[in-house]
């Protein structure tokens, strides 16, 4: 009915057709891409119609100090998160169409008052051009990726020095990963690194640099010493108050299965890694608390497809499924779902690896693209390009004004939701929105009782250390 390559190809083509604004400069800048695909079975169930309903690009995440109490800044602009928020925008419009008597591609009336359900034969699939940052990115390098190099020495001794040196370099290094936030030069004190070869996953590798902190003069490729097995790594750090990474050589560098926060520009962020967010969406759905007022159950992905690049099925299973598979006691409509996990063999030509292979020195340093593109299948202003969490191109003076807001910011999605509520006839209003004095974004989220119960169970049983969003950041209206 569909293949991973077909999905990847649809997403790359969709990206290629978008205007240039916010796209990376070929050969110098790289980015990540993610998308939500609507799958609709044909009436004879022999074919499936595939439509990109949301697409996102982006590599950045802002630190705690840049967060806004007005809900008008995008905290997390990793492609996966941009694609999810664009999908919420799409779903809000589809619900608006449904409640106002127009045809919707997605929803039909549910059995409970004011509730809607996804039409039979309709499902959603998630595509991401790279393994999600965080837990899914941690896995042993395969035999073909192990490099002949000098065995690791005195890593512990180097650690404090390395950390001291790290601060300034961190913001840039952490964002110049081949995968989202994957450690490269900064972390490769314990291993050699291959780079500049677009065929690296086939193991046709070349060694461009080896262990900055070990003595490079010891490096004798012809001796064929073999590194101890090493891990692919993530720039996302373990959440506070939990177990930390051992940071030991090779396979003992990271803890696995733990929640992680994304790196920012030299500052800790409050944004969980994409692995963690995908895992949460797997149970709570992608629609968020607000739209759950209108839905009889969460909207979950039937499959997650990853583009060509470093990938481990086992790590994906652990990060996205196993961590939540034991959760019980979920409220009606919620259940432990298991998206199918697949990899495509087609590469995103703007990813880090490909960009590096096309890069020439005259172009200057390779860097992650600072802009994030959101496109969603909505009738007005489908394209929304941001940088640093605000509309790209706004002057400093305009920050905080209406023109600076992204259409997928919390406050804009909230206002779209309020328009949906206003368009709903009283007799068709969901019970959870009836007769209550709800004002702020926080009020509306808390009033989504079943969703909040599901989140409480998920948090208690699987993610007790998931940081809570500071309430003062959610009191806008
Ligand atoms: Zn990410």
């Amino acid at each position: 009915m569909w293949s991973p390559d077909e999905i990847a190809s649809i997403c790359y083509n969709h990206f290629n057709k978008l205007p240039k604004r916010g796209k990376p400069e070929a050969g110098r800048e790289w980015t990540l891409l993610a998308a939500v695909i609507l799958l609709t079975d044909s009436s004879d169930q022999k074919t499936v119609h595939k439509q990109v309903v949301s697409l996102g690009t982006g590599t950045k995440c802002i630190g705690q100090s840049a967060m806004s109490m007005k809900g008008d800044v995008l905290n997390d602009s990793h492609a996966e998160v941009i694609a999810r928020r664009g999908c919420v925008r799409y779903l809000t419009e589809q619900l608006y169409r449904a409640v106002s008597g127009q045809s919707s591609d997605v929803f039909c009336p549910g059995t409970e008052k004011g509730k809607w359900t996804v039409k039979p034969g309709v499902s959603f699939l998630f595509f991401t051009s790279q393994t999600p940052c965080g837990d899914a990115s941690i896995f042993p390098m395969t035999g073909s990726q192990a490099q002949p190099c000098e065995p690791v020495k005195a890593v512990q001794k180097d650690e404090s020095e390395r950390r001291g040196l790290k601060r300034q370099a961190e913001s840039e290094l952490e964002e110049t990963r081949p995968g989202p936030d994957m450690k490269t030069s900064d972390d490769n004190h314990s291993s050699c690194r291959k780079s500049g070869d677009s065929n690296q996953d086939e193991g046709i590798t070349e060694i461009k640099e080896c262990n900055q902190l070990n003595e490079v003069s010891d490096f004798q490729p012809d001796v064929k010493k073999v590194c101890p097995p090493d891990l692919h790594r993530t720039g996302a750090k373990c959440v506070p108050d939990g177990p930390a990474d051992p940071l030991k050589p090779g396979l003992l560098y990271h803890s696995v299965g733990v929640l992680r926060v994304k790196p920012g520009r030299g500052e800790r962020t409050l944004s969980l890694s994409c692995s963690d967010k995908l895992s949460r969406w797997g149970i709570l759905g992608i629609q968020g608390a607000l739209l759950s007022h209108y839905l009889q159950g969460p909207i979950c992905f039937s499959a997650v497809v990853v583009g060509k690049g470093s990938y481990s099925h086992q790590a994906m299973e652990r990060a996205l499924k196993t961590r939540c598979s034991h959760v019980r006691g979920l409220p009606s409509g919620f259940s432990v779902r298991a998206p199918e996990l697949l990899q495509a063999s087609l590469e995103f030509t703007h990813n880090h690896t490909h960009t590096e292979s096309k890069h020439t020195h005259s172009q200057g340093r390779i860097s992650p693209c600072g802009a994030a593109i959101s496109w969603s299948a909505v009738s007005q202003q489908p394209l929304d390009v941001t940088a640093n969490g605000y509309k790209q191109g706004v002057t400093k003076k305009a920050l905080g004004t209406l023109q600076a807001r992204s259409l997928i910011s919390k406050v804009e999605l909230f206002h779209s939701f309020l328009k949906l509520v206003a368009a709903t006839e009283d007799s068709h209003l969901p019970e959870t929105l009836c007769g209550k004095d709800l004002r702020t974004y926080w009020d509306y989220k808390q009033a989504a009782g079943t969703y909040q119960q599901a989140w409480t169970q998920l948090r208690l049983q699987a993610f007790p250390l998931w940081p809570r969003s500071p309430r003062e950041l959610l009191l806008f209206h």
Side-chain angles (χ1 to χ4, degrees):
M1 300 291 257
W2 57 266
S3 71
D5 281 359
E6 192 185 356
I7 297 301
S9 167
I10 290 171
C11 295
Y12 300 155
N13 286 339
H14 196 95
F15 173 83
N16 291 339
K17 284 184 194 152
L18 293 178
K20 205 175 162 194
R21 199 154 59 90
K23 286 188 176 178
E25 182 192 323
R28 194 183 70 77
E29 291 182 313
W30 57 272
T31 196
L32 314 171
L33 176 127
V36 179
I37 319 288
L38 175 74
L39 301 175
T40 313
D41 291 345
S42 64
S43 48
D44 59 7
Q45 299 199 336
K46 285 186 178 155
T47 55
V48 179
H49 180 254
K50 301 137 202 126
Q51 183 195 357
V52 174
V53 294
S54 172
L55 180 146
T57 71
T59 62
K60 308 273 184 172
C61 196
I62 64 166
Q64 204 169 349
S65 62
M67 290 168 78
S68 163
M69 289 168 73
K70 295 193 281 187
D72 61 347
V73 61
L74 296 176
N75 301 328
D76 184 341
S77 295
H78 280 211
E80 293 92 325
V81 174
I82 297 285
R84 206 280 301 191
R85 300 188 77 83
C87 185
V88 171
R89 209 180 151 212
Y90 167 77
L91 293 173
T92 308
E93 182 167 298
Q94 288 296 315
L95 276 169
Y96 186 94
R97 293 181 64 85
V99 302
S100 51
Q102 304 168 57
S103 70
S104 163
D105 295 336
V106 179
F107 297 110
C108 61
T111 51
E112 296 168 36
K113 182 201 160 212
K115 298 270 193 181
W116 299 81
T117 183
V118 173
K119 286 178 176 177
V122 168
S123 58
F124 292 90
L125 182 159
F126 194 72
F127 174 79
T128 171
S129 65
Q130 66 296 320
T131 294
C133 62
D135 199 45
S137 290
I138 303 170
F139 51 91
M141 289 180 177
T142 58
S144 61
Q145 292 165 320
Q147 301 303 310
C149 77
E150 184 63 15
V152 177
K153 292 187 284 195
V155 169
Q156 291 296 12
K157 187 191 77 184
D158 289 339
E159 195 55 37
S160 58
E161 183 191 356
R162 195 175 75 88
R163 281 171 171 268
L165 291 170
K166 199 172 159 187
R167 277 264 67 90
Q168 192 184 354
E170 192 171 46
S171 59
E172 287 159 335
L173 284 169
E174 281 177 340
E175 288 173 324
T176 52
R177 302 285 148 198
D181 310 323
M182 281 188 175
K183 295 282 182 190
T184 50
S185 51
D186 189 34
D187 265 357
N188 278 285
H189 60 283
S190 64
S191 68
C192 295
R193 176 189 177 205
K194 59 189 160 47
S195 63
D197 188 334
S198 59
N199 289 319
Q200 69 177 32
D201 292 295
E202 278 74 53
I204 308 164
T205 59
E206 66 176 310
I207 299 155
K208 283 204 170 167
E209 53 185 275
C210 183
N211 199 343
Q212 295 169 347
L213 295 172
N214 290 346
E215 291 166 40
V216 178
S217 57
D218 284 354
F219 177 53
Q220 296 172 305
D222 50 339
V223 175
K224 299 279 183 207
K225 291 175 181 174
V226 175
C227 271
D230 204 358
L231 280 183
H232 284 285
R233 293 172 184 171
T234 180
K237 297 181 176 60
C238 299
V239 290
D241 307 323
D245 284 321
L247 305 178
K248 290 189 176 154
L251 299 179
L252 297 175
Y253 189 83
H254 277 312
S255 301
V256 294
V258 300
L259 294 172
R260 294 176 177 275
V261 286
K262 287 168 178 160
R265 289 205 152 263
E267 186 194 11
R268 189 179 280 278
T269 75
L270 290 182
S271 301
L272 275 288
S273 73
C274 291
S275 293
D276 301 329
K277 289 187 174 180
L278 274 160
S279 170
R280 173 180 157 149
W281 302 337
I283 305 260
L284 300 184
I286 50 166
Q287 77 292 325
L290 297 182
L291 293 188
S292 72
H293 284 287
Y294 277 86
L295 299 179
Q296 224 160 290
I299 298 179
C300 295
F301 297 123
S302 58
V304 175
V305 177
V306 177
K308 182 183 167 184
S310 302
Y311 179 88
S312 157
H313 188 73
Q314 200 185 8
M316 285 286 287
E317 285 271 339
R318 176 187 70 222
L320 271 57
K321 290 160 75 165
T322 319
R323 293 193 291 171
C324 307
S325 59
H326 60 285
V327 173
R328 297 289 177 269
L330 290 166
S332 165
F334 289 83
S335 62
V336 174
R337 289 158 216 254
E340 204 180 345
L341 305 176
L342 297 156
Q343 189 183 26
S345 65
L346 302 176
E347 186 180 34
F348 181 45
T349 54
H350 298 279
N351 71 10
H352 185 274
T353 310
H354 198 85
T355 304
E356 207 172 42
S357 72
K358 299 284 173 208
H359 176 250
T360 56
H361 283 291
S362 62
Q363 289 179 294
R365 234 181 103 178
I366 283 196
S367 62
C369 181
I373 301 173
S374 165
W375 180 92
S376 47
V378 294
S379 51
Q380 308 278 321
Q381 296 178 268
L383 198 65
D384 185 79
V385 181
T386 52
N388 301 313
Y390 289 103
K391 276 261 169 74
Q392 192 189 39
V394 296
T395 58
K396 263 206 166 145
K397 212 172 143 193
L399 291 183
T401 65
L402 283 177
Q403 306 91 282
R405 286 179 181 174
S406 161
L407 296 168
I408 55 166
S409 63
K410 282 190 179 70
V411 68
E412 286 293 323
L413 290 179
F414 180 42
H415 289 177
S416 302
F417 173 75
L418 293 178
K419 281 184 197 145
L420 166 67
V421 176
T424 312
E425 283 178 40
D426 284 353
S427 57
H428 290 105
L429 208 58
E431 286 297 339
T432 46
L433 295 174
C434 290
K436 289 184 184 157
D437 183 22
L438 306 174
R439 294 178 191 190
T440 66
Y441 179 71
W442 166 272
D443 293 339
Y444 278 90
K445 276 172 70 112
Q446 290 305 305
T450 314
Y451 180 93
Q452 295 299 345
Q453 280 171 36
W455 178 214
T456 301
Q457 287 303 325
L458 177 60
R459 186 197 284 274
L460 277 174
Q461 297 176 52
F463 298 133
L465 296 172
W466 193 292
R468 287 174 194 272
S469 304
R471 186 169 166 170
E472 61 271 22
L473 294 177
L474 304 173
L475 296 177
F476 56 86
H477 52 85

